Amino acid sequence: MERAELQRYLDTLLEVGRFKDYCPNGLQVEGRAQIERIVCGVTASQALLDAAVAQRADAVLVHHGYFWRGEDGRVTGLRRRRLATLLANDINLLAYHLPLDAHPTLGNNAQLAALLGWLPDGRFGEQDLGWSGRLAEPRPLLAIARQVAAMLGREPLVLGDPDRRVSRIGWCTGGAQGYFEQAIASGVDCFVSGEASEPTTHLARESGVAYLGVGHHASERYGVKALGAHLAAQFGLEVRFVEIENPV
């Protein structure tokens, strides 16, 4: 498949132009023009790039790429090593951040809901990135936390009464603890995201709305994995997801 064709397809599928983001979405580093083998992962770390080289990948597809707003733009140290790995091996880097969070079926929020059996019925927050919905039946907070731990392979941070019954749930993968107040205002019983900040505890205590911090990395494996599977089915590309362990 031609690189330009793949980029156009992904940019259109994920509606890149609709989002105001903190990084460029799409092709971030140009490699060879023909793409047959893709390595997918959450973050374009050196470990993922090394795996792509070992697997002779033509492209790396990630959720967290490079060139973040406010980041030091000098190409030194680890940034030099990462870019040198891509350029020396003629590997393309494609990264989709907020567009991959938000996609209605392939995105991180959609895939997390499907994995855990949540039933989406609403959106909230900036650019409608927060999702809300209901459980198939009300459950205690502790039961939800145990399910999350079993499915994501990581014990979540639990803020709230473990016996609290949860019917309405809100979620936004990654580092979306800043959406907690908007989730509370939307009427959920519990909000789920990847991380927590110092104020998160107080908001949970004072509002009575529970909070689960399930892991930034753990909550965002599933969008890029689904996108890779979609490309394999759609175009016959060889796509492999590589898990790089991350406890955060």
Side-chain angles (χ1 to χ4, degrees):
M1 184 176 191
E2 291 290 332
R3 178 188 61 238
E5 180 188 358
L6 177 62
Q7 182 185 358
R8 282 194 299 270
Y9 179 82
L10 287 171
D11 287 356
T12 301
L13 175 68
L14 299 175
E15 299 182 283
V16 165
R18 188 163 71 84
F19 294 91
K20 296 178 181 177
D21 212 334
Y22 320 107
C23 61
N25 287 290
L27 182 66
Q28 292 192 340
V29 179
E30 184 179 295
R32 61 182 63 97
Q34 194 69 25
I35 295 175
E36 296 179 2
R37 184 177 295 123
I38 299 175
V39 161
C40 296
V42 177
T43 298
S45 64
Q46 187 65 50
L48 186 69
L49 302 185
D50 291 343
V53 171
Q55 296 179 30
R56 301 175 65 186
D58 304 305
V60 171
L61 174 63
V62 295
H63 180 50
H64 300 137
Y66 303 153
F67 313 119
W68 298 91
R69 186 173 66 203
E71 185 179 70
D72 187 340
R74 290 174 291 184
V75 182
T76 59
L78 66 86
R79 292 183 184 85
R80 180 185 183 278
R81 289 193 296 275
R82 290 174 174 181
L83 289 172
T85 300
L86 290 165
L87 294 171
N89 292 280
D90 210 16
I91 297 174
N92 296 279
L93 175 64
L94 294 133
Y96 294 92
H97 185 231
L98 296 184
L100 186 56
D101 286 322
H103 192 273
T105 57
L106 300 174
N108 286 316
N109 285 329
Q111 289 293 311
L112 187 66
L115 180 71
L116 295 170
W118 302 337
L119 306 172
D121 60 18
R123 304 284 189 275
F124 64 89
E126 185 181 358
Q127 303 184 78
D128 283 340
L129 290 170
W131 287 39
S132 60
R134 58 186 176 82
L135 304 183
E137 58 182 27
R139 303 178 69 194
L141 177 63
L142 182 59
I144 298 170
R146 286 174 173 165
Q147 180 199 18
V148 166
M151 299 301 289
L152 302 190
R154 181 191 188 280
E155 289 294 328
L157 170 70
V158 180
L159 301 177
D161 179 358
D163 297 322
R164 191 195 202 290
R165 303 289 287 181
V166 175
S167 298
R168 299 282 307 164
I169 194 161
W171 65 98
C172 188
T173 64
Q177 61 269 42
Y179 283 17
F180 191 18
E181 285 192 78
Q182 295 172 70
I184 293 166
S186 76
V188 301
D189 304 310
C190 174
F191 182 58
V192 178
S193 189
E195 303 176 15
S197 299
E198 192 277 338
T200 310
T201 298
H202 305 293
L203 286 172
R205 287 173 179 167
E206 294 172 28
S207 68
V209 175
Y211 187 94
L212 293 182
V214 302
H216 193 135
H217 174 89
S219 68
E220 295 197 320
R221 292 187 189 107
Y222 305 101
V224 72
K225 195 181 277 191
L227 183 58
H230 173 82
L231 293 176
Q234 190 79 6
F235 299 109
L237 298 170
E238 182 182 337
V239 181
R240 180 173 298 180
F241 177 83
V242 175
E243 169 71 358
I244 304 296
E245 193 275 333
N246 187 338
V248 175

